[in-house]
Amino acid sequence: MRGCVFLLRLAGFVRNRRFVPYNDAMAPVYLDNNATTRPAPEVVEAMLPFLRESFGNPSSTHPLGQAARHAVENARTAVAALINARPQEVFFTSGGTEADNFAILGVLAENPKKRHIVTTAVEHEAVLRLCQRLETQGYRVTWLGVDRLGRLDPAEFEAALRDDTALASVMHANNETGVIFPVERLAQISAARGVPLHVDAVQTVGKIPLDVTAAPISLLSLSAHKLHGPKGAGALYVRRRVRLRSLMMGGHQERDMRPGTENVAAVAGFGRAAELAMATMHDDAPRIARLRDRLEAGLLEQTRGAHVNGDRANRTPNTTNIGFETLEAEAIVITLGENGVCISAGAACASGSLEPSHVLKAMGIDPIIAHGGVRFSLSRYTTESEIDETIHRVPPLLERLRKLMPAAT
Ligand code: PLP
């Protein structure tokens, strides 16, 4: 409680400052790429014509409309190629959240008699809160747990499937820890039981290879802004013959599955981001993982009571979640932000109490570590000097914070 008062004071201090948009001269070290990524310059270039002269509606049959249609279909081909799907299996949405909602609600609407869902306790809020709401509407949800390293047991997944299971929804990698779930194996298991599997791959698409033909994944969510594309664009992959109902009524866009005039510029940017990810992922992933490991080693070595949360042997290459004993995650985020290092926390200061992240809680992490759990997430644009700068700047800031924090006593 006292920790929270301190935090609110710290947050108030930040809130009272006048914020101006960043420019490159004042660029902080940005290590919050699981929240969002910097749009690639090529992506911005690809979007601009559709915000200027090529502003047609893709449903119009005149040349201006057809130019927009062409851009949307090119983007569909590029996004499909990134996951080895067919273009007809890709439906554009407003982002990952909508794709998750579309997948789950769309499958349930097609199977009204089946009232059971299998998911995990560590999903992103887009799935978590939807399933919680579905529970209040009479659906039964089996919430699968994870072990201390954040791993899911396929045998538990198999045991949870029932005759009335309408669908299973499991993320590919966790947004807070980067821990990867064995979704190919889960897809085999659920397909054998005739249960469609939805995979939230928002944190893996463009970071690690993903091939929807390698396993019978039924539905898969993507989001452009996690792979150097724009915000407000995403997609749902729907395997051929998977039955899904559209959630909205309106025009005939996206083959009647997602009505509404397309966000052409964002979709074009998404397509370009997918092409770039495909071209660079192979070389980027090991380089980013090396930088992540360097950061982790530096912080662990130079900070008291620092622990890595999650399975270090099986994570997305760009993510590390570190718990700093006796510190509060929000205080760390605010202090580092004020000192030019952008990261994020899973914990939130709500109603006067500090709750550790639901992910770290589900992993059974000691609360003294979980409360100080923060995420550093890198990207294609992270440089070695930024990592060295972070290793140099962060330990003394944490030490100072430790002296200030009432929790430290
Ligand atoms: N799923 C996961 C795993 C995420 O990390 C996020 C965003 O952080 C989302 C879904 C939501 O995606 P969007 O921001 O595009 O709605």
PDB file of all heavy atoms in Angstrom, residues 38-53:
ATOM      1  N   ARG A  38       8.715   0.158 -33.863  1.00  0.00           N
ATOM      2  CA  ARG A  38       8.845   1.331 -34.723  1.00  0.00           C
ATOM      3  C   ARG A  38       8.474   0.924 -36.152  1.00  0.00           C
ATOM      4  O   ARG A  38       9.026  -0.048 -36.687  1.00  0.00           O
ATOM      5  CB  ARG A  38      10.307   1.778 -34.690  1.00  0.00           C
ATOM      6  CG  ARG A  38      10.585   2.976 -35.527  1.00  0.00           C
ATOM      7  CD  ARG A  38      12.080   3.326 -35.496  1.00  0.00           C
ATOM      8  NE  ARG A  38      12.243   4.637 -36.064  1.00  0.00           N
ATOM      9  CZ  ARG A  38      12.883   5.647 -35.485  1.00  0.00           C
ATOM     10  NH1 ARG A  38      13.468   5.469 -34.328  1.00  0.00           N
ATOM     11  NH2 ARG A  38      12.956   6.814 -36.056  1.00  0.00           N
ATOM     12  N   PRO A  39       7.558   1.650 -36.813  1.00  0.00           N
ATOM     13  CA  PRO A  39       7.261   1.286 -38.212  1.00  0.00           C
ATOM     14  C   PRO A  39       8.529   1.429 -39.060  1.00  0.00           C
ATOM     15  O   PRO A  39       9.256   2.416 -38.945  1.00  0.00           O
ATOM     16  CB  PRO A  39       6.204   2.306 -38.629  1.00  0.00           C
ATOM     17  CG  PRO A  39       5.609   2.805 -37.357  1.00  0.00           C
ATOM     18  CD  PRO A  39       6.721   2.759 -36.329  1.00  0.00           C
ATOM     19  N   ALA A  40       8.796   0.422 -39.874  1.00  0.00           N
ATOM     20  CA  ALA A  40       9.971   0.466 -40.754  1.00  0.00           C
ATOM     21  C   ALA A  40       9.809   1.636 -41.733  1.00  0.00           C
ATOM     22  O   ALA A  40       8.689   1.909 -42.187  1.00  0.00           O
ATOM     23  CB  ALA A  40      10.098  -0.847 -41.519  1.00  0.00           C
ATOM     24  N   PRO A  41      10.900   2.310 -42.105  1.00  0.00           N
ATOM     25  CA  PRO A  41      10.784   3.409 -43.075  1.00  0.00           C
ATOM     26  C   PRO A  41      10.128   2.931 -44.379  1.00  0.00           C
ATOM     27  O   PRO A  41       9.318   3.655 -44.971  1.00  0.00           O
ATOM     28  CB  PRO A  41      12.244   3.816 -43.332  1.00  0.00           C
ATOM     29  CG  PRO A  41      13.018   3.291 -42.173  1.00  0.00           C
ATOM     30  CD  PRO A  41      12.281   2.119 -41.617  1.00  0.00           C
ATOM     31  N   GLU A  42      10.429   1.705 -44.785  1.00  0.00           N
ATOM     32  CA  GLU A  42       9.833   1.158 -46.017  1.00  0.00           C
ATOM     33  C   GLU A  42       8.314   1.006 -45.872  1.00  0.00           C
ATOM     34  O   GLU A  42       7.571   1.125 -46.844  1.00  0.00           O
ATOM     35  CB  GLU A  42      10.435  -0.229 -46.339  1.00  0.00           C
ATOM     36  CG  GLU A  42      11.933  -0.225 -46.606  1.00  0.00           C
ATOM     37  CD  GLU A  42      12.775  -0.453 -45.339  1.00  0.00           C
ATOM     38  OE1 GLU A  42      12.315  -0.108 -44.233  1.00  0.00           O
ATOM     39  OE2 GLU A  42      13.902  -0.958 -45.481  1.00  0.00           O
ATOM     40  N   VAL A  43       7.889   0.728 -44.643  1.00  0.00           N
ATOM     41  CA  VAL A  43       6.449   0.573 -44.368  1.00  0.00           C
ATOM     42  C   VAL A  43       5.761   1.931 -44.516  1.00  0.00           C
ATOM     43  O   VAL A  43       4.710   2.048 -45.158  1.00  0.00           O
ATOM     44  CB  VAL A  43       6.237  -0.015 -42.948  1.00  0.00           C
ATOM     45  CG1 VAL A  43       4.803   0.159 -42.472  1.00  0.00           C
ATOM     46  CG2 VAL A  43       6.644  -1.482 -42.926  1.00  0.00           C
ATOM     47  N   VAL A  44       6.372   2.947 -43.929  1.00  0.00           N
ATOM     48  CA  VAL A  44       5.794   4.293 -44.009  1.00  0.00           C
ATOM     49  C   VAL A  44       5.694   4.712 -45.486  1.00  0.00           C
ATOM     50  O   VAL A  44       4.656   5.222 -45.927  1.00  0.00           O
ATOM     51  CB  VAL A  44       6.630   5.296 -43.181  1.00  0.00           C
ATOM     52  CG1 VAL A  44       6.089   6.707 -43.334  1.00  0.00           C
ATOM     53  CG2 VAL A  44       6.655   4.877 -41.708  1.00  0.00           C
ATOM     54  N   GLU A  45       6.753   4.451 -46.240  1.00  0.00           N
ATOM     55  CA  GLU A  45       6.749   4.781 -47.676  1.00  0.00           C
ATOM     56  C   GLU A  45       5.615   4.063 -48.399  1.00  0.00           C
ATOM     57  O   GLU A  45       4.943   4.638 -49.256  1.00  0.00           O
ATOM     58  CB  GLU A  45       8.088   4.367 -48.326  1.00  0.00           C
ATOM     59  CG  GLU A  45       9.221   5.325 -48.075  1.00  0.00           C
ATOM     60  CD  GLU A  45       8.887   6.749 -48.472  1.00  0.00           C
ATOM     61  OE1 GLU A  45       8.412   6.955 -49.602  1.00  0.00           O
ATOM     62  OE2 GLU A  45       9.084   7.658 -47.643  1.00  0.00           O
ATOM     63  N   ALA A  46       5.415   2.797 -48.050  1.00  0.00           N
ATOM     64  CA  ALA A  46       4.378   2.002 -48.724  1.00  0.00           C
ATOM     65  C   ALA A  46       2.980   2.505 -48.391  1.00  0.00           C
ATOM     66  O   ALA A  46       2.038   2.344 -49.181  1.00  0.00           O
ATOM     67  CB  ALA A  46       4.516   0.526 -48.324  1.00  0.00           C
ATOM     68  N   MET A  47       2.843   3.141 -47.227  1.00  0.00           N
ATOM     69  CA  MET A  47       1.522   3.609 -46.804  1.00  0.00           C
ATOM     70  C   MET A  47       1.147   4.957 -47.411  1.00  0.00           C
ATOM     71  O   MET A  47      -0.041   5.213 -47.675  1.00  0.00           O
ATOM     72  CB  MET A  47       1.482   3.739 -45.276  1.00  0.00           C
ATOM     73  CG  MET A  47       1.604   2.424 -44.541  1.00  0.00           C
ATOM     74  SD  MET A  47       1.738   2.658 -42.754  1.00  0.00           S
ATOM     75  CE  MET A  47       0.104   3.283 -42.350  1.00  0.00           C
ATOM     76  N   LEU A  48       2.148   5.810 -47.586  1.00  0.00           N
ATOM     77  CA  LEU A  48       1.865   7.208 -47.930  1.00  0.00           C
ATOM     78  C   LEU A  48       0.975   7.412 -49.160  1.00  0.00           C
ATOM     79  O   LEU A  48       0.055   8.242 -49.114  1.00  0.00           O
ATOM     80  CB  LEU A  48       3.180   7.990 -48.068  1.00  0.00           C
ATOM     81  CG  LEU A  48       3.877   8.286 -46.728  1.00  0.00           C
ATOM     82  CD1 LEU A  48       5.212   8.987 -46.951  1.00  0.00           C
ATOM     83  CD2 LEU A  48       2.975   9.127 -45.822  1.00  0.00           C
ATOM     84  N   PRO A  49       1.190   6.682 -50.258  1.00  0.00           N
ATOM     85  CA  PRO A  49       0.340   6.949 -51.428  1.00  0.00           C
ATOM     86  C   PRO A  49      -1.151   6.780 -51.126  1.00  0.00           C
ATOM     87  O   PRO A  49      -1.986   7.479 -51.691  1.00  0.00           O
ATOM     88  CB  PRO A  49       0.792   5.885 -52.444  1.00  0.00           C
ATOM     89  CG  PRO A  49       2.160   5.487 -52.010  1.00  0.00           C
ATOM     90  CD  PRO A  49       2.210   5.670 -50.528  1.00  0.00           C
ATOM     91  N   PHE A  50      -1.456   5.884 -50.165  1.00  0.00           N
ATOM     92  CA  PHE A  50      -2.874   5.611 -49.892  1.00  0.00           C
ATOM     93  C   PHE A  50      -3.475   6.617 -48.913  1.00  0.00           C
ATOM     94  O   PHE A  50      -4.673   6.595 -48.639  1.00  0.00           O
ATOM     95  CB  PHE A  50      -3.032   4.154 -49.421  1.00  0.00           C
ATOM     96  CG  PHE A  50      -2.472   3.220 -50.430  1.00  0.00           C
ATOM     97  CD1 PHE A  50      -1.199   2.680 -50.276  1.00  0.00           C
ATOM     98  CD2 PHE A  50      -3.171   2.957 -51.597  1.00  0.00           C
ATOM     99  CE1 PHE A  50      -0.657   1.864 -51.248  1.00  0.00           C
ATOM    100  CE2 PHE A  50      -2.634   2.146 -52.580  1.00  0.00           C
ATOM    101  CZ  PHE A  50      -1.371   1.601 -52.411  1.00  0.00           C
ATOM    102  N   LEU A  51      -2.611   7.486 -48.384  1.00  0.00           N
ATOM    103  CA  LEU A  51      -3.098   8.595 -47.559  1.00  0.00           C
ATOM    104  C   LEU A  51      -3.118   9.877 -48.379  1.00  0.00           C
ATOM    105  O   LEU A  51      -3.579  10.913 -47.929  1.00  0.00           O
ATOM    106  CB  LEU A  51      -2.183   8.779 -46.336  1.00  0.00           C
ATOM    107  CG  LEU A  51      -2.139   7.598 -45.384  1.00  0.00           C
ATOM    108  CD1 LEU A  51      -1.017   7.768 -44.366  1.00  0.00           C
ATOM    109  CD2 LEU A  51      -3.472   7.431 -44.664  1.00  0.00           C
ATOM    110  N   ARG A  52      -2.542   9.825 -49.583  1.00  0.00           N
ATOM    111  CA  ARG A  52      -2.481  11.005 -50.436  1.00  0.00           C
ATOM    112  C   ARG A  52      -3.319  10.789 -51.688  1.00  0.00           C
ATOM    113  O   ARG A  52      -4.532  10.677 -51.602  1.00  0.00           O
ATOM    114  CB  ARG A  52      -1.012  11.280 -50.799  1.00  0.00           C
ATOM    115  CG  ARG A  52      -0.185  11.767 -49.612  1.00  0.00           C
ATOM    116  CD  ARG A  52       1.236  12.022 -50.063  1.00  0.00           C
ATOM    117  NE  ARG A  52       2.063  12.571 -49.008  1.00  0.00           N
ATOM    118  CZ  ARG A  52       3.373  12.360 -48.913  1.00  0.00           C
ATOM    119  NH1 ARG A  52       4.000  11.617 -49.806  1.00  0.00           N
ATOM    120  NH2 ARG A  52       4.051  12.894 -47.921  1.00  0.00           N
ATOM    121  N   GLU A  53      -2.616  10.616 -52.823  1.00  0.00           N
ATOM    122  CA  GLU A  53      -3.326  10.627 -54.105  1.00  0.00           C
ATOM    123  C   GLU A  53      -4.121   9.350 -54.366  1.00  0.00           C
ATOM    124  O   GLU A  53      -5.167   9.364 -55.001  1.00  0.00           O
ATOM    125  CB  GLU A  53      -2.341  10.912 -55.260  1.00  0.00           C
ATOM    126  CG  GLU A  53      -1.207   9.905 -55.480  1.00  0.00           C
ATOM    127  CD  GLU A  53      -0.074  10.011 -54.447  1.00  0.00           C
ATOM    128  OE1 GLU A  53      -0.093  10.940 -53.634  1.00  0.00           O
ATOM    129  OE2 GLU A  53       0.812   9.122 -54.445  1.00  0.00           O
TER     130      GLU A  53
END
